[in-house]
Amino acid sequence: MLLAVIANRAAMALVTLAGVAVVVFILLRVVPGDPVAMMISPGASAADIAALKAHYGLDAPLLVQFGIWTKGIVEGDFGTSITLHRHVTSVLADRLPATIELAVMALFVAVTLGGGIAIVGTLLRRTPGEAVIDGLNSVMLAVPDFIWALALVLLFAVALPVLPLTGQIDPALAEGFSTRFYLTESVLTGRFAVAGNILSHMIMPTLALALPLAAVIVRLLKQSLKEAMLQDYVLLARIKGFGELRLVLQEALRNAIGPTLALTGVQFTFLIGGTVIVERIFAYPGIGNLAIDAIINRDFPLIQGLVLLFGLIFILINIGIDLTVAALKPRLRHA
Amino acid sequence: MTAPKTMPRLAIEDLSAISLRDGNRPILRRVSLDVGLGEVHGLVGESGAGKSTIAKAILGIIPSQVRIAGGKIGFEGRDLLTLSGSALRAVLGRDIALVPQDPTTALNPSRRIDAQMTDGLRLKRGLSAKEARLRAHSLLEEVQIRDPDRVLASYPHQLSGGMRQRVLIAAAFGLEPKLVIADEPTTALDVTVQKQILRLIRALQERHGTSVLFVSHDLGVVAKICDRVTVLYMGKVVEQGATAAVLAAPRHAYTKALLAANPRYDRPDTGLEPTPPEVITALRAEIAAFDAGSGEARDG
């Protein structure tokens, strides 16, 4: 059953990606601005412009251009970046690890923080402590990631200058890596001073991305937990003499977590979207930051590659969430 | 018929409770009842009579809109109503256990039966994981489940209602408590399963010498299983005594009416009589007089 679900989702993913490819390809060529206009100096002759357009294949009919691009994709060639003069795949491979590390870190912080606060709030239900948590949470729900980013900059880089403002790693330390997963690699190879330096760079962008998601998790999980705590099986466990924390963790959490997991999946895709602006603010070298450069330069092949990559990430996240929810719900597994 | 011998297992004295939501309406009116060692005591009444409030008071799970206004719940020489949260938690699960009303909602849907049966044994009886598992296995055999291994490995939704209730009964008696509260344990089951479950509770109770407070709205069920019975109406005890005596010669008009309201399978032409209005009127007058009297007593 599980395999059938995965196959089904994979097929749907291909259709979705094909749709995304068509839309981004057409959109880029319909909106004003093209890469040739961005790179050529003012006063260039019409002949020069035409020659350049021909060089990049931009003079061909739309359908032909699309055909060339998709044929390349099928062969594993996503084209060459116009501004960076490198294969799109190699540019993305260089930049993606930094974003993966940042997003996973942010997800981990959001789930830990949001889950922890939701559990504490459940333990404190019907006390003033719950009102405090609810009040703060309402404020956190209203603040978007880029506002957090600016607030964090003011706090930790201006008022209390304790954290590095930009980048992923101190350039002097960025040597001797065999992969681009700097944080993972430095931890695995035991270079903890380097890992600490990377983490200090990641704290602010991570928090900016994680706090809005944590707020959503607190709101939903706490509500689900409170409902689950009223169930008969929790009452029966209470009558076995189990303490509150055990009731929440052992009896309520697994039954309450479904909606939160599903929503976390959706919100995680927003978090990935948020990396575009947050990476820009902190000059963090991931694909989000790259996307802004690519768009400013109208680097068509790179933009197309990036959009497909974002689409693929979103689809993988959703499949992952579906599988997790199914794994946690025995009723679904046996249905 | 085992009448209470020395000190009763559970001694409820003058228990009173009011509903805070409903203008301090009394829901228990100085209820006193004893459950003797090894006795099955039936607590009967229509819905709203206060049966489940008594059960919840014993278990320390009184809802927030209900307040205990007076009385004692004596258990092993202590008043359960005055115990601290942790002291009560120590008693619950070890000395007092519950067989719940609805087996479909009383088991956690995302935990295997194994885990749900062994967690109490490990926490309250100090068994190792392996010992608890063996104990759960033999408990399931004791409640006549044919393939305990399959049941232990199952999730609740894979079992029938009757099976689930057997599991819950096994879990409750398996903790070897001194007192089991059975809260309408057969109400959610169909009639054929009801009989087996009643027989099972009685057998386990006799084998382990457990005292049982058996809460029910059904005098027919109570007649099958209980040594003594307490009949409640609007939170007041209207009749109390040995089951056979009460059923044979009810002293109170309300008990007679309850008996008449019970379907008789042996005499399908009789029974199912509604409570006559004059009985209700008389009862309400009695309760009003009781409220006025106890008010004066409190003032004086």
Side-chain angles (χ1 to χ4, degrees):
Chain A
M1 187 216 102
L2 207 57
L3 279 176
V5 171
I6 295 173
N8 183 25
R9 294 302 300 261
M12 272 166 59
L14 279 181
V15 174
T16 311
L17 281 178
V20 168
V22 173
V23 169
V24 68
F25 190 88
I26 292 173
L27 210 58
L28 279 178
R29 283 155 181 80
V30 169
V31 296
D34 66 61
V36 173
M38 295 305 294
M39 68 176 70
I40 210 156
S41 52
S45 72
D48 285 347
I49 293 177
L52 213 49
K53 277 197 165 174
H55 175 73
Y56 288 112
L58 293 168
D59 56 342
L62 219 86
L63 216 54
V64 175
Q65 288 187 40
F66 188 71
I68 293 170
W69 182 52
T70 45
K71 183 167 171 285
I73 290 175
V74 171
E75 290 163 358
D77 175 11
F78 285 74
T80 305
S81 162
I82 294 172
T83 44
L84 301 171
H85 309 291
R86 290 170 57 201
H87 280 297
V88 167
T89 39
S90 105
V91 176
L92 295 182
D94 273 1
R95 294 291 204 107
L96 183 60
T99 297
I100 289 178
E101 285 189 335
L102 180 63
V104 169
M105 182 73 93
L107 180 66
F108 174 76
V109 170
V111 168
T112 317
L113 196 67
I117 294 174
I119 288 168
V120 171
T122 309
L123 292 172
L124 293 177
R125 65 197 184 285
R126 297 193 299 270
T127 69
E130 183 186 20
V132 172
I133 288 179
D134 285 348
L136 288 176
N137 193 229
S138 299
V139 176
M140 295 205 2
L141 275 169
V143 181
D145 47 15
F146 59 91
I147 301 287
W148 279 119
L150 298 178
L152 288 163
V153 167
L154 284 177
L155 186 60
F156 291 120
V158 179
L160 282 166
V162 288
L163 293 175
L165 179 56
T166 59
Q168 181 190 17
I169 185 171
D170 193 328
L173 298 170
E175 309 253 321
F177 282 100
S178 51
T179 70
R180 293 277 176 166
F181 289 95
Y182 285 175
L183 181 63
T184 316
E185 189 183 332
S186 59
V187 169
L188 289 181
T189 55
R191 297 160 69 192
F192 295 116
V194 177
N197 181 271
I198 298 171
L199 279 174
S200 72
H201 281 86
M202 284 173 76
I203 288 175
M204 286 198 283
T206 300
L207 283 178
L209 291 168
L211 289 175
L213 178 54
V216 173
I217 291 175
V218 170
R219 167 69 48 103
L220 187 63
L221 184 58
K222 182 162 151 289
Q223 184 59 37
S224 308
L225 278 174
K226 281 178 77 172
E227 280 164 24
M229 289 300 283
L230 299 175
Q231 298 296 313
D232 280 359
Y233 53 83
V234 177
L235 190 69
L236 191 65
R238 176 172 283 128
I239 289 165
K240 285 184 196 166
F242 293 161
E244 278 293 307
L245 183 62
R246 181 155 180 181
L247 293 180
V248 172
L249 296 180
Q250 174 180 291
E251 302 292 333
L253 189 57
R254 262 183 94 163
N255 295 299
I257 207 165
T260 305
L261 268 182
L263 187 75
T264 301
V266 177
Q267 293 288 324
F268 188 44
T269 58
F270 290 149
L271 187 154
I272 302 272
T275 59
V276 173
I277 182 98
V278 170
E279 285 183 3
R280 192 65 172 188
I281 291 171
F282 294 102
Y284 186 87
I287 55 171
N289 205 347
L290 178 68
I292 291 189
D293 287 333
I295 290 166
I296 289 173
N297 294 323
R298 299 291 190 278
D299 191 337
F300 285 3
L302 190 53
I303 296 172
Q304 286 160 188
L306 275 162
V307 171
L308 280 185
L309 180 60
F310 275 114
L312 183 66
I313 292 172
F314 289 4
I315 287 164
L316 290 178
I317 289 171
N318 279 314
I319 293 178
I321 289 289
D322 282 359
L323 293 179
T324 317
V325 171
L328 281 176
K329 273 246 169 86
R331 203 183 290 265
L332 289 183
R333 237 182 300 154
H334 293 106
Chain B
M1 216 56 49
T2 44
K5 295 151 206 160
T6 51
M7 195 176 109
R9 183 65 85 194
L10 177 78
I12 298 177
E13 283 172 49
D14 289 334
L15 188 65
S16 297
I18 54 173
S19 163
L20 298 176
R21 185 171 293 170
D22 200 358
N24 290 357
R25 180 176 57 84
I27 31 184
L28 290 179
R29 296 174 156 92
R30 307 190 68 165
V31 172
S32 294
L33 68 88
D34 290 346
V35 183
L37 301 177
E39 180 194 10
V40 180
H41 193 115
L43 186 56
V44 195
E46 56 196 57
S47 35
K51 316 177 293 279
S52 65
T53 306
I54 293 176
K56 284 177 182 153
I58 297 167
L59 298 167
I61 51 168
I62 287 285
S64 57
Q65 72 271 19
V66 174
R67 209 183 71 215
I68 301 292
K72 274 198 262 183
I73 300 179
F75 180 79
E76 309 241 280
R78 293 194 286 179
D79 181 1
L80 292 180
L81 292 174
T82 62
L83 290 187
S84 71
S86 60
L88 185 64
R89 273 203 298 279
V91 172
L92 293 176
R94 196 188 65 210
D95 296 331
I96 302 179
L98 172 77
V99 176
Q101 174 170 8
D102 187 351
T104 54
T105 56
L107 287 165
N108 189 331
S110 55
R111 300 180 70 212
R112 290 180 198 275
I113 300 300
D114 187 356
Q116 305 195 50
M117 283 189 74
T118 53
D119 58 4
L121 292 168
R122 296 178 66 182
L123 184 76
K124 291 295 178 172
R125 291 285 157 211
L127 301 187
S128 71
K130 206 174 160 192
E131 289 165 342
R133 162 93 194 190
L134 284 173
R135 177 105 180 90
H137 191 280
S138 67
L139 284 167
L140 288 183
E141 282 177 336
E142 211 176 330
V143 295
Q144 289 144 34
I145 284 177
R146 257 176 242 105
D147 41 0
D149 285 314
R150 184 188 70 82
V151 170
L152 282 174
S154 300
Y155 287 96
H157 69 268
Q158 296 168 302
L159 304 177
S160 69
M163 285 284 257
R164 284 182 227 179
Q165 192 59 293
R166 279 163 200 269
V167 166
L168 287 163
I169 289 169
F173 280 91
L175 293 162
E176 309 236 320
K178 294 169 177 139
L179 174 70
V180 165
I181 315 279
D183 182 12
E184 308 235 8
T186 58
T187 307
L189 304 172
D190 56 54
V191 181
T192 47
V193 184
Q194 272 189 16
K195 273 192 179 173
Q196 302 167 10
I197 294 291
L198 287 178
R199 233 178 278 137
L200 199 61
I201 291 176
R202 185 80 225 200
L204 283 166
Q205 175 269 330
E206 282 173 0
R207 197 172 315 147
H208 297 277
T210 322
S211 305
V212 175
L213 181 65
F214 192 96
V215 180
S216 180
H217 63 273
D218 187 342
L219 262 180
V221 167
V222 165
K224 287 197 190 77
I225 186 169
C226 297
D227 304 311
R228 288 196 304 149
V229 60
T230 296
V231 182
L232 277 186
Y233 184 78
M234 284 178 73
K236 187 177 177 309
V237 175
V238 295
E239 181 133 12
Q240 200 164 51
T243 312
V246 169
L247 294 187
R251 275 180 306 197
H252 201 285
Y254 178 65
T255 316
K256 281 179 201 158
L258 265 189
L259 280 171
N262 217 39
R264 294 278 300 265
Y265 300 109
D266 52 339
R267 287 162 59 192
D269 52 322
T270 64
L272 292 176
E273 295 291 329
T275 312
E278 62 271 18
V279 173
I280 300 288
T281 317
L283 263 173
R284 287 185 190 268
E286 203 177 303
I287 281 162
F290 174 86
D291 285 354
S294 66
E296 277 161 27
R298 229 177 285 139
D299 295 339

